[in-house]
Amino acid sequence: MKKLLTLAASVLLTLSFISCGKKIDSSTWLSNFDDAKKAAQAENKKIFLFFSGDDFDTVSAQLKTNVLTTEEFVKEYTEKFVLVNLDFSNSRYTEDQDSITGDIKLSELYNVESFPCFYILSKEGYPITQLAFDANADLDHVHITFAETDESVAKFDELLGKTKSGSNQERLAAINEIFDSTSTDLVYHLTPLNKLYLSLDKKNETGECAKHLFALSYAKAQDFFLSNEIEKACAEFETLAKNKMLKDFERQVAFYTAAFVLIQSQSNDYEKIRDYLQKSYDAAPDTEEAQTIKGSITQVQMMIDGEGDIPEQEMGPAEKPAQN
């Protein structure tokens, strides 16, 4: 026993040295998001996430030169943020393919539609607020823009704190407020809170577990979709539809979403699409949406029979399940 304890102590000591040797220098801009999250956790700081495209995005380049990479900005803002810049310059696509692939996925998960794009994140990576800067902004304008986010950041911090202590009812209410105030395009990043909600309300006493179950399924399916594992993405919604916490109309949404995922992937498996739509209809044939789904089943069957096309305008993404 003494030898085992000695060996364990030796291993722990070795690991501590290894860990110390990997300390991340967050006194300047980082270019790796995982490093930024580790540094933010270690230093209890928020993350300032900046997506840019330096060689084609003149706004990003101008902001960097005038403000963001200046010694004054970096010194001031690294005191409260871990700064991370994910740049999508053309050269990276040939010189740094592994990391650019990961960054592209991250840009999709943070719903980046144009450059530059800025977010303030919690140390966990939860999106708090998005910022915008004019191309001609100087340091004073940047200060003002950050100051305008103070209220929303403070509110988020308050809610996040409430998710960690207090009664279950208070924690659940705080999680719901964060979730409901987060853009649908960004709830992917709230999965730890979705899981926490479900662990605190195992019997669905609030009646609101469904939206957190849907959020988790969407997050998993999104990962599979981005990895081109379409069948697994669809399977997430099949599995979700079997959850006993779901009501019939929510089961309908789950099966419909599986069909929509297949259509979005441009799958030619029309039989599978039809089957998902049929299960969606059968789950709740009395809803208003059921008749539209029934019409879609007919049109997909016509496609199978070689008599028509699937009308994409009628096959939009499923709406988030309504709550009673």
Side-chain angles (χ1 to χ4, degrees):
M1 175 64 74
K2 185 176 180 180
K3 288 183 178 179
L4 286 173
L5 290 173
T6 303
L7 178 60
S10 176
V11 170
L12 287 172
L13 184 62
T14 301
L15 288 174
S16 70
F17 277 119
I18 293 173
S19 177
C20 289
K22 290 186 177 180
K23 188 177 186 305
I24 298 164
D25 180 11
S26 62
S27 64
T28 187
W29 282 95
L30 300 178
S31 59
N32 182 289
F33 186 70
D34 288 336
D35 285 348
K37 284 184 68 175
K38 290 174 185 176
Q41 293 275 359
E43 301 171 29
N44 194 29
K45 293 178 180 178
K46 291 180 176 57
I47 299 169
F48 179 49
L49 176 59
F50 171 25
F51 294 93
S52 66
D54 288 359
D55 59 4
F56 59 85
D57 167 24
T58 57
V59 177
S60 291
Q62 191 169 337
L63 281 169
K64 283 186 179 184
T65 300
N66 294 344
V67 183
L68 300 180
T69 59
T70 63
E71 182 179 353
E72 188 176 359
F73 174 88
V74 172
K75 183 177 180 180
E76 179 176 353
Y77 281 89
T78 51
E79 291 181 2
K80 49 188 175 182
F81 292 101
V82 172
L83 309 178
V84 56
N85 174 213
L86 304 183
D87 181 59
F88 291 80
S89 292
N90 294 324
S91 59
R92 286 194 64 201
Y93 287 84
T94 55
E95 298 172 2
D96 195 13
Q97 289 188 358
D98 289 340
S99 63
I100 193 68
T101 299
D103 289 351
I104 289 171
K105 179 179 178 181
L106 196 69
S107 71
E108 292 175 342
L109 295 177
Y110 277 101
N111 194 39
V112 176
E113 296 180 343
S114 62
F115 300 112
C117 182
F118 303 92
Y119 282 105
I120 292 177
L121 313 177
S122 72
K123 64 183 180 183
E124 299 87 358
Y126 301 147
I128 300 176
T129 189
Q130 190 170 0
L131 297 84
F133 300 104
D134 185 87
N136 298 314
D138 57 19
L139 188 57
D140 288 337
H141 286 95
V142 168
H143 285 330
I144 292 170
T145 301
F146 270 98
E148 290 172 347
T149 70
D150 286 348
E151 185 176 347
S152 58
V153 170
K155 177 64 173 177
F156 184 91
D157 286 345
E158 179 186 0
L159 288 172
L160 190 59
K162 289 180 178 180
T163 70
K164 299 174 182 178
S165 62
S167 68
N168 274 13
Q169 186 175 2
E170 291 169 334
R171 296 175 73 187
L172 290 167
I175 295 169
N176 266 338
E177 191 167 347
I178 290 174
F179 182 83
D180 292 340
S181 62
T182 299
S183 167
T184 304
D185 295 325
L186 297 173
V187 294
Y188 171 95
H189 305 284
L190 301 181
T191 53
L193 294 179
N194 300 132
K195 292 177 181 178
L196 177 58
Y197 192 99
L198 295 171
S199 72
L200 293 173
D201 190 16
K202 294 180 180 178
K203 296 182 179 180
N204 195 22
E205 293 177 1
T206 63
E208 296 194 70
C209 283
K211 67 182 180 183
H212 296 282
L213 288 167
F214 266 92
L216 289 173
S217 292
Y218 273 110
K220 292 177 183 176
Q222 195 166 4
D223 283 336
F224 286 131
F225 193 88
L226 291 175
S227 300
N228 203 33
E229 297 179 274
I230 308 304
E231 290 184 6
K232 290 182 179 180
C234 295
E236 282 298 324
F237 296 105
E238 279 193 277
T239 301
L240 174 63
K242 298 174 185 177
N243 193 294
K244 294 180 180 180
M245 287 189 185
L246 265 60
K247 298 175 183 177
D248 288 344
F249 79 93
E250 292 164 341
R251 235 178 295 285
Q252 183 172 82
V253 171
F255 281 124
Y256 184 87
T257 306
F260 178 72
V261 169
L262 270 185
I263 290 172
Q264 285 292 92
S265 71
Q266 298 183 335
S267 170
N268 293 323
D269 192 348
Y270 303 119
E271 288 85 358
K272 189 71 172 177
I273 294 171
R274 178 198 57 199
D275 291 346
Y276 280 139
L277 290 172
Q278 187 64 56
K279 288 178 180 179
S280 178
Y281 175 83
D282 292 342
D286 296 327
T287 63
E288 292 182 9
E289 293 77 13
Q291 293 308 308
T292 299
I293 295 169
K294 189 174 183 180
S296 296
I297 294 170
T298 300
Q299 291 169 352
V300 173
Q301 185 62 53
M302 289 175 63
M303 186 67 184
I304 293 171
D305 297 336
E307 299 175 5
D309 297 322
I310 298 177
E312 294 185 10
Q313 68 273 17
E314 293 188 14
M315 294 294 294
E319 296 293 326
K320 183 165 67 173
Q323 299 299 316
N324 293 335

